[in-house]
Amino acid sequence: MDEFMKAAIEEAEKGLLEGGIPIGSVIVHKGKIIGRGHNRRVQKGSVILHGEMDALENAGRQPASVYRESVLYTTLSPCPMCSGAILLYGIPKVIIGENKTFMGDEVHLKSYGVNLEVLQDETCINLMTNFIEKNPTLWNEDIGV
């Protein structure tokens, strides 16, 4: 497994240990992680701190040129909010751990030319499957159902 997806999974596991939703993300620029994060909606009482948004927040202010040369790794297919941020900052490539438990806004991302790679990684699938089975109300709240 790729070291960067491994780092995103570590973030997801950290979120789960904190009592949150197990979704993690890292932003990689020229082979180096510049931002990492996990879904902290529960922990922070936030409506926007999904894994990708937390990774962007933790990357701090970066010039647009940095994002245009970066790859975002996420354990779960990005929702419309996170997809909008990917488009806003011009991130050209997203590596997705899985989209079986939740299909995000991949069609929208592709329509703007974002290169998507979906791994269907068993660790990512199991993290979400187990979480959704044990916490259906919390999961449905997070995705707006």
Side-chain angles (χ1 to χ4, degrees):
M1 176 190 301
D2 179 288
E3 68 178 294
F4 300 123
M5 183 52 70
K6 203 176 274 188
I9 290 170
E10 287 169 7
E11 286 293 323
E13 290 169 339
K14 189 184 299 183
L16 186 61
L17 288 173
E18 293 171 356
I21 293 129
I23 303 166
S25 182
V26 296
I27 301 167
V28 177
H29 180 254
K30 295 185 176 180
K32 181 176 180 262
I33 295 174
I34 61 168
R36 58 174 59 231
H38 52 276
N39 186 302
R40 294 193 302 155
R41 190 186 61 77
V42 173
Q43 300 91 311
K44 295 285 187 180
S46 171
V47 297
I48 62 166
L49 282 181
H50 286 189
E52 300 90 339
M53 302 299 276
D54 194 40
L56 282 164
E57 178 73 12
N58 291 328
R61 289 180 62 192
Q62 299 290 333
S65 60
V66 169
Y67 291 117
R68 286 194 298 266
E69 297 175 336
S70 294
V71 178
L72 185 141
Y73 288 75
T74 182
T75 58
L76 186 65
S77 184
C79 76
M81 175 180 66
C82 296
S83 294
I86 290 163
L87 295 176
L88 176 67
Y89 293 108
I91 297 171
K93 184 170 184 175
V94 179
I95 311 289
I96 299 167
E98 66 103 351
N99 64 8
K100 287 186 175 189
T101 61
F102 175 76
M103 173 58 77
D105 213 3
E106 293 180 24
V107 171
H108 191 212
L109 288 169
K110 285 179 187 174
S111 77
Y112 277 85
V114 177
N115 179 0
L116 302 182
E117 186 178 330
V118 182
L119 304 178
Q120 302 304 12
D121 178 82
E122 285 301 318
T123 302
C124 295
I125 294 168
N126 290 335
L127 268 170
M128 287 308 301
T129 301
N130 292 336
F131 178 82
I132 293 167
E133 284 175 9
K134 292 175 183 165
N135 305 279
T137 303
L138 181 57
W139 172 242
N140 288 332
E141 175 189 319
D142 191 52
I143 61 169
V145 173

